[in-house]
């Protein structure tokens, strides 16, 4: 008889550790534990501040079965659940937009102002004791870090600034124009992979020179020997300087171009947000791995560029290259990785982690797996 694979994982020293057992990447019980213990209480990046700069601008952010609205009310940002307080109808279905003076529920027309307060509720004057103040939209925590807006649904969540102390300074160091960015485009791709499969792929350089041809194009722009991957508990960076004497990138000459940084800079914020910059490109990218199902994720690629400068041809080409070449090459790996994980013939492998924590070492993958394991373990033990 074929035995069910085990969920047991020993948090051994990284160099000696076996990888996180395969079931963590497809078991609905693990996914449920992640939902409760990782995603509901997490800080989620929903927008750049420029997207919410004027009164009435709003974005919505969906995570699993929850949806949150963030809106600008008289210059101040407010976040609240996207659920009408009458009978629970979802209020807003667009990802972003400009609200009128109120958000109006399409069911019975209850209207909420941009701070979530109930302004009008037809025919409630017929009720003997109806108090509008009691039926405002339920608030959600909000914080800005590195000019990006984050929300958290857990009223007891520790401030993002304390969880990710040091991350904002690192972003400002490599992405100096963050305050002057605007959204260029946002691309959503549904990938039939667990969200961690996608994360694991993005936080190791081991596959750069060993997988597909587009990765080699990227490696050719970076002084890959100096590529460094550093863990800081709930955030991590993977950064490499540019190669000397690069004359063209993404198929376009560099001459005359400007850029955010010529470094390959990436910063990950627990659990699933990444900000990055490609060498010689005048953008800051966001890369979100939003879980949908145990084996399905939404990859959201956001591209932000300088508000006041023309976009250089190199940058335009970089965005296209990311959407059409590097992204698909990694997604192909995500898909084949997910398939193999379910094989009866696989459960755990070995991380390639060296003593120097070199550019090709998988120590960030191990670090990330430890964070996941520590978060879900109590729930999995309780369910046993
Ligand atoms: S459910 Fe929104 S007004 Fe009735
Ligand atoms: Fe990759």
């Amino acid at each position: 008889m074929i035995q069910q694979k085990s969920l047991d994982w020993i948090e051994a020293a990284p160099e000696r550790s076996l990888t996180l057992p395969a079931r963590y990447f497809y078991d609905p019980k693990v996914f449920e534990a992640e939902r409760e213990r990782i995603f509901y209480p997490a800080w989620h990046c929903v927008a750049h501040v420029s997207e919410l700069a004027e009164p009435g601008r709003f974005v919505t952010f969906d995570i699993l079965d929850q949806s949150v609205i963030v809106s600008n009310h008289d210059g101040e940002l407010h976040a609240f659940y996207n659920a009408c307080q009458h009978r629970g109808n979802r209020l807003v279905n667009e990802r972003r937009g400009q609200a009128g003076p109120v958000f109006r529920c399409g069911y019975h027309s209850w209207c909420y102002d941009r701070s979530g307060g109930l302004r009008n509720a037809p025919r409630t004057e017929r009720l003997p004791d109806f108090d509008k103040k009691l039926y405002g939209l339920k608030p959600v925590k909000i914080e800005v870090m590195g000019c990006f807006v984050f929300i958290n649904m857990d009223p007891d969540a520790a401030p993002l600034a304390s969880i990710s102390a040091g991350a904002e300074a690192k972003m400002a160091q490599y992405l100096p124009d963050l305050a002057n960015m605007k959204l260029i485009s946002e691309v959503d791709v549904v990938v039939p992979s667990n969200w961690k499969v996608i994360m694991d792929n993005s936080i190791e350089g081991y596959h750069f020179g060993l997988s597909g041809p587009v990765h080699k194009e990227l490696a050719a722009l970076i002084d890959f020997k100096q590529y460094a991957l550093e863990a800081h508990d709930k955030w991590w960076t993977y950064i490499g300087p540019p190669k000397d004497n690069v004359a063209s990138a993404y198929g376009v000459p560099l001459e005359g171009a400007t850029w955010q940084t010529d470094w390959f800079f990436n910063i990950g914020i627990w659990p699933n947000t990444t900000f990055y910059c490609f060498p010689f490109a005048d953008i800051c990218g966001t890369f979100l791995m939003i879980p949908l199902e145990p084996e399905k994720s939404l990859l959201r690629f956001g591209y932000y560029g300088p508000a006041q400068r023309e976009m250089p041809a190199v940058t335009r080409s970089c965005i296209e290259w990311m959407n059409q070449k590097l992204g698909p090459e990694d997604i192909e790996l995500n898909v084949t990785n997910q398939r193999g994980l379910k094989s009866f013939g696989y459960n755990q492998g070995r991380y390639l982690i060296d003593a120097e924590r070199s550019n090709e070492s998988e120590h960030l993958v191990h670090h990330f797996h430890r964070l996941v394991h520590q978060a879900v373990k109590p729930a999995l033990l309780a369910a046993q």
Side-chain angles (χ1 to χ4, degrees):
M1 197 174 72
I2 293 166
Q3 277 202 331
Q4 162 101 284
K5 294 185 217 174
S6 167
L7 278 170
D8 294 339
W9 189 53
I10 298 165
E11 290 193 18
E15 289 89 336
R16 298 182 186 285
S17 180
L18 295 179
T19 56
L20 192 65
R23 254 176 75 194
Y24 280 80
F25 298 88
Y26 58 83
D27 188 313
K29 275 206 292 290
V30 174
F31 191 74
E32 196 184 308
E34 289 176 340
R35 185 183 66 195
E36 306 293 324
R37 306 184 63 96
I38 295 179
F39 288 103
Y40 286 165
W43 285 99
H44 297 285
C45 176
V46 300
H48 183 262
V49 285
S50 59
E51 294 171 77
L52 296 158
E54 291 92 38
R57 296 302 302 175
F58 71 86
V59 298
T60 61
F61 178 76
D62 292 1
I63 177 83
L64 299 161
D65 51 6
Q66 300 301 309
S67 180
V68 170
I69 303 171
V70 181
S71 92
N72 179 323
H73 174 74
D74 291 345
E76 243 180 58
L77 297 184
H78 294 259
F80 31 81
Y81 287 99
N82 189 3
C84 177
Q85 294 299 296
H86 174 222
R87 289 213 337 252
N89 196 39
R90 179 170 283 208
L91 278 176
V92 179
N93 292 303
E94 300 86 33
R95 161 78 174 119
R96 53 172 63 78
Q98 172 73 40
V102 292
F103 293 103
R104 189 183 76 83
C105 178
Y107 204 166
H108 313 90
S109 217
W110 284 29
C111 293
Y112 302 87
D113 67 27
R114 298 149 172 185
S115 68
L118 180 62
R119 284 290 152 263
N120 191 34
R123 300 170 200 166
T124 48
E125 68 282 358
R126 297 178 190 177
L127 301 174
D129 56 353
F130 186 76
D131 181 355
K132 281 198 195 100
K133 284 197 287 302
L134 300 178
Y135 296 92
L137 298 173
K138 292 286 177 284
V140 169
K141 281 187 161 205
I142 189 164
E143 215 173 298
V144 173
M145 192 197 72
C147 297
F148 284 91
V149 181
F150 285 74
I151 58 100
N152 193 312
M153 296 182 285
D154 179 359
D156 302 321
L160 177 60
S162 68
I163 294 170
S164 60
E168 191 170 32
K170 196 60 107 180
M171 287 171 76
Q173 183 186 343
Y174 285 91
L175 303 166
D177 281 349
L178 273 178
N180 298 310
M181 307 290 262
K182 63 166 190 221
L183 178 69
I184 296 167
S185 63
E186 185 173 88
V187 179
D188 284 352
V189 184
V190 174
V191 179
S193 305
N194 181 270
W195 69 283
K196 300 187 295 299
V197 164
I198 303 166
M199 176 65 91
D200 293 354
N201 169 275
S202 72
I203 55 179
E204 52 96 344
Y206 186 22
H207 73 289
F208 275 29
L210 301 170
S211 54
V214 189
H215 280 73
K216 294 192 181 83
E217 283 176 37
L218 175 61
L221 301 176
I222 306 165
D223 180 356
F224 190 50
K225 286 251 171 335
Q226 290 191 58
Y227 190 62
L229 306 101
E230 253 181 58
H232 304 261
D233 193 22
K234 295 288 172 63
W235 61 280
W236 43 86
T237 56
Y238 34 114
I239 309 178
K243 237 187 192 147
D244 285 341
N245 305 320
V246 174
S248 68
Y250 320 107
V252 174
L254 291 184
E255 211 181 321
T258 50
W259 41 75
Q260 267 282 315
T261 175
D262 49 9
W263 286 57
F264 181 44
F265 170 74
N266 299 267
I267 185 164
I269 311 288
W270 169 258
N272 63 335
T273 300
T274 300
F275 303 108
Y276 66 91
C277 205
F278 279 124
F280 316 115
D282 212 353
I283 44 161
C284 169
T286 56
F287 182 50
L288 306 183
M289 287 138 268
I290 301 173
L292 298 175
E293 295 172 11
E295 296 185 73
K296 196 196 276 186
S297 308
L298 177 73
L299 266 188
R300 175 165 287 167
F301 298 90
Y303 299 98
Y304 296 85
Q308 284 104 14
R309 289 200 296 275
E310 266 304 285
M311 188 192 293
V314 180
T315 302
R316 224 185 322 273
S317 195
C318 174
I319 294 172
E320 217 164 273
W321 176 84
M322 180 64 185
N323 286 335
Q324 288 169 19
K325 295 179 81 183
L326 187 66
E329 195 168 280
D330 268 327
I331 288 169
E332 181 65 33
L333 293 171
N334 300 154
V335 173
T336 54
N337 193 170
Q338 185 70 37
R339 288 207 186 117
L341 283 164
K342 291 184 92 169
S343 169
F344 293 141
Y346 176 81
N347 185 33
Q348 289 176 284
R350 273 294 285 276
Y351 299 101
L352 194 290
I353 296 178
D354 50 38
E356 304 76 41
R357 303 295 188 261
S358 78
N359 55 345
E360 291 173 338
S361 171
E362 292 179 302
H363 50 284
L364 283 191
V365 181
H366 180 265
H367 176 78
F368 171 64
H369 287 175
R370 270 189 57 222
L371 291 177
V372 170
H373 187 239
Q374 282 165 9
V376 300
K377 198 170 130 188
L380 296 179
L381 284 175
Q384 265 175 11

